[in-house]
Amino acid sequence: MQPLDTLLREAEIAHGHLCAGQILGVRMAMLGCSLLGIDEPRTGPDRKRLVTFVEIDRCATDAIAVVTGCRLGKRALKFRDWGKMAASFLDLGRAVNPELSLEAIPSGRAIRIAALESSKARARELYPHIEAKNAQQMLAYRELPDAELFSTEWVSIPLHAREMPGYKSARIACDLCGEGINYDREVVLDGSTLCQSCAFPESRYYQPL
């Protein structure tokens, strides 16, 4: 694992600026990898070992992606919109073949890490002379021990084979709109094979004009 300052510079470049959330994200990912015994998640034998679940779409998520190498486009970054400054790091090991079966992968060893609300108060205690909260937190989050920044919990995360990085599936066309559907996301209703949008139009994130 590269040093904190190196990873912070990489996170700043990737995200466009450095903030308290970025620092939390970098340290959260470093801690997760350390607890799982993953020395370098982006290169070498551990490169495809990690899947990360993030619970917020904020700065920390970009930083976590930088440290872990997990990306949405690689199917190794999973977003759960819970609005929490938290992430779970799932160790797949080295022997999982996503093409073997559609059965659920046995629950993998994972660590869930959440930022402590009390860390903000600790930042104020450490730097009371600094008025700007972000500046306070940026300094404190570099220095505070992990135990004062995060709570940790060992968890199991069942991961279906179709959610695995590298999973291959047939591309199926929706009978209604004709758009292609990947990764077994089709729905069969009344004998028709439909995409999620056509099957459940009321739940679309968009509405046609």
Side-chain angles (χ1 to χ4, degrees):
M1 182 70 66
Q2 292 179 307
L4 174 63
D5 284 343
T6 300
L7 291 171
L8 287 176
R9 283 196 294 274
E10 291 185 21
E12 181 179 8
I13 292 169
H15 186 66
H17 69 272
L18 189 63
C19 62
Q22 289 279 95
I23 298 171
L24 272 182
V26 167
R27 291 202 54 187
M28 186 181 291
M30 292 178 72
L31 177 59
C33 290
S34 175
L35 291 173
L36 289 172
I38 297 176
D39 294 326
E40 177 46 74
R42 301 182 296 184
T43 60
D46 292 337
R47 184 171 61 88
K48 296 184 179 181
R49 185 173 158 187
L50 191 65
V51 169
T52 301
F53 292 76
V54 292
E55 299 180 17
I56 196 167
D57 52 351
R58 293 294 303 274
C59 306
T61 294
D62 281 350
I64 289 169
V66 166
V67 175
T68 62
C70 293
R71 299 285 193 276
L72 196 63
K74 293 181 178 180
R75 310 195 78 223
L77 184 68
K78 312 292 186 181
F79 176 48
R80 300 294 183 263
D81 193 7
W82 288 8
K84 292 186 175 184
M85 186 68 79
S88 294
F89 303 88
L90 170 63
D91 185 357
L92 296 177
R94 299 180 177 86
V96 175
N97 183 345
E99 298 182 6
L100 290 181
S101 172
L102 283 181
E103 297 299 321
I105 300 300
S107 298
R109 187 174 66 127
I111 186 77
R112 183 176 181 271
I113 303 175
L116 294 171
E117 288 298 304
S118 57
S119 64
K120 297 176 182 178
R122 287 290 291 125
R124 290 193 295 271
E125 292 172 6
L126 287 174
Y127 296 102
H129 57 286
I130 299 177
E131 293 186 7
K133 289 192 298 183
N134 188 62
Q136 276 182 345
Q137 293 165 8
M138 286 182 68
L139 288 171
Y141 293 170
R142 285 174 176 264
E143 302 171 4
L144 286 170
D146 290 330
E148 293 190 49
L149 285 178
F150 306 114
S151 65
T152 61
E153 178 184 18
W154 287 101
V155 298
S156 65
I157 303 177
L159 191 65
H160 198 287
R162 66 169 58 95
E163 298 297 333
M164 290 284 292
Y167 173 69
K168 300 287 191 292
S169 69
R171 185 176 176 87
I172 297 172
C174 174
D175 288 339
L176 189 57
C177 70
E179 294 178 0
I181 311 162
N182 295 301
Y183 305 122
D184 308 316
R185 297 304 197 269
E186 70 274 8
V187 178
V188 178
L189 288 177
D190 299 325
S192 296
T193 300
L194 304 176
C195 66
Q196 301 278 337
S197 177
C198 291
F200 311 109
E202 70 283 353
S203 65
R204 289 174 180 156
Y205 75 89
Y206 69 93
Q207 291 298 325
L209 298 177

